[in-house]
Amino acid sequence: MALITSKINLDLIDRIIRRNERIALSAGAKRQIKRCRRFLDDKLKSGGEAIYGINTGFGALYNQSISSSDLEQLQENLVI
């Protein structure tokens, strides 16, 4: 597995795909992701606050609230 410490760009992605290289997140990146996730979870639990793209629609639908029961599906749809 190659250690990549630079920013990701299209050339790097192309190299990774063509060489079928394995990639992994650093421990620091994982910590940052978990910290951000806790922040979002806390914001959502406190309720009432619209967070664009997290519990609202996108673009012209920015002012449409997404019900808490549909948040997981919204995020899955974004990835797809």
Side-chain angles (χ1 to χ4, degrees):
M1 182 179 333
L3 178 61
I4 299 168
T5 58
S6 60
K7 291 189 177 189
I8 296 174
N9 58 39
L10 292 177
D11 289 334
L12 178 57
I13 292 170
D14 183 61
R15 244 184 30 224
I16 291 167
I17 292 170
R18 289 182 190 276
R19 295 179 187 171
N20 198 29
E21 291 186 20
R22 295 183 64 201
I23 58 173
L25 293 171
S26 68
K30 290 177 185 179
R31 280 192 302 275
Q32 288 177 314
I33 290 168
K34 288 177 182 178
R35 184 178 56 91
C36 289
R37 177 58 192 253
R38 280 192 304 273
F39 173 81
L40 284 175
D41 286 345
D42 290 344
K43 285 285 195 184
L44 290 171
K45 284 178 191 172
S46 67
E49 186 174 350
I51 306 170
Y52 179 79
I54 302 296
N55 61 359
T56 71
F58 296 86
L61 300 175
Y62 74 94
N63 59 350
Q64 299 295 310
S65 290
I66 308 299
S67 69
S68 59
S69 62
D70 292 330
L71 293 179
E72 186 174 337
Q73 186 64 52
L74 172 68
Q75 298 304 313
E76 284 181 25
N77 290 347
L78 284 173
V79 172
I80 292 170

